[in-house]
Amino acid sequence: MAKSAETEHPVKAFGWAAADSSGHLAPFHFSRRATGDDDVQFKVLYCGICHSDLHYIKNEWGFSQYPLVPGHEIVGEVTEVGKKVQKFKVGDKVGVGCMVGSCRSCERCDEDLENYCAKIIPTYSGNYSDGSLTYGGYSDIMVANEHFVVRIPEKMPLDSAAPLLCAGITTYSPLRHFGLDKPGMHIGIVGLGGLGHVAVKFAKAFGVKVTVISTSPSKKEEAIEHLGADSFLISKDEEQMQAAMGTMDGILDTVSAVHPLTPLLGLLKAHGKLIMVGAPEKPLELPVFSLMSGRKMMAGSGIGGMKETQEMIDFAAKHNISAEIEVIPIDYVNTAMDRLLKNDIKYRFVIDVANSIKH
């Protein structure tokens, strides 16, 4: 008989889990592995709520495994380290993002792109090499191989740093990789949600001109006055969109709902790049003519490797970049999911795990 989640491993753990695709989260007793030679164990202090968590608990992408403890924007304090661990010591502030393992031997891993390894182990709803389920950060304790742990710089606020482990790297990596980080460039950011608001902050820190592209006119003041964007385009306003045609070097599209791409490709200069980082659950239509006229490029990007994730966190600390958050107790999590579904959040929920989780 298969062992229960509670007795599978030696270290007792407690969190909130979804039992099925209804997505309802409830208290859940489970267990973590003992701290191995290369492992770091830490007390979870904060965990961000990512849009992916919502997709996963409802099995909207079709590969969820239950019971499912979500959370891949995890920050905490080290309580134990394995004897071979070199980068961390007890008391250090650390984080774990979207992955807790990869093969460590393929071409991708050798290039510090563990996020594109065919054997990536996601932080939750994945499987460790022994077949056991991975459980995320809506929980009191975490154990991870030190390679997949990042150091949170001193003086960085832990609660607003948590979302950078997913939203931060998801936007930082493509801006860097596709060369959309050169001062003087003009970059569009589509969608001003959890990903979009962080993308604006990184892009401005790189010294580029930023235009936020949104369907919500009400977000204009926030985008320009508070987040520092240079201009704001209402994507449903044909006159505004027409006036901005052919003015952008690149666009980062963070929207996870189905939306038309033709208007966005029209905003690009010749050789411009449209980079997709939102993940709509249904395929989008690809307007090939719009790509051909101007030799434009469309690409995707998913999180980033561990080396780049540490680089991103260090860059964020240096430039005082953090997510805009609403801190919640863990028993508010189902309400938070309902609000996230309605985009009723500026811009990221973060669970105060340490102060609210009750066994």
Side-chain angles (χ1 to χ4, degrees), residues 285-356:
E285 283 190 16
L286 180 62
V288 174
F289 269 116
S290 302
L291 285 175
M292 291 163 66
S293 55
R295 195 157 61 178
K296 294 168 187 175
M297 181 194 292
M298 190 174 161
S301 182
I303 56 170
M306 293 314 303
K307 184 179 175 187
E308 190 176 42
T309 302
Q310 186 67 62
E311 178 191 298
M312 176 276 305
I313 281 281
D314 294 342
F315 181 91
K318 184 179 173 186
H319 294 271
N320 290 320
I321 294 170
S322 60
E324 307 282 318
I325 61 169
E326 180 179 329
V327 178
I328 61 166
I330 200 157
D331 59 9
Y332 186 78
V333 72
N334 289 302
T335 307
M337 290 295 182
D338 291 340
R339 284 180 54 193
L340 183 58
L341 195 56
K342 299 174 196 153
N343 293 320
D344 175 23
I345 170 64
K346 277 186 179 175
Y347 285 92
R348 206 60 148 191
F349 286 114
V350 173
I351 305 166
D352 181 353
V353 176
N355 287 315
S356 66

Side-chain angles (χ1 to χ4, degrees), residues 205-275:
F206 294 147
V208 306
K209 179 185 172 190
V210 177
T211 296
V212 170
I213 304 157
S214 174
T215 55
S216 313
S218 60
K219 290 185 176 177
K220 179 175 182 176
E221 187 183 348
E222 175 82 9
I224 293 172
E225 302 297 327
H226 187 63
L227 297 173
D230 298 282
S231 53
F232 188 89
L233 270 181
I234 299 163
S235 54
K236 292 186 285 198
D237 186 323
E238 286 183 29
E239 209 173 299
Q240 280 191 22
M241 294 291 281
Q242 192 65 36
M245 292 267 283
T247 61
M248 298 180 190
D249 298 285
I251 294 174
L252 199 63
D253 187 342
T254 72
V255 175
S256 57
V258 172
H259 58 289
L261 300 177
T262 304
L264 299 178
L265 290 166
L267 296 172
L268 291 171
K269 297 175 183 175
H271 309 141
K273 299 165 185 172
L274 172 61
I275 315 300

Side-chain angles (χ1 to χ4, degrees), residues 94-109:
V94 295
V96 165
C98 302
M99 57 183 165
V100 291
S102 69
C103 79
R104 309 284 298 281
S105 59
C106 69
E107 196 178 339
R108 295 287 81 79
C109 289

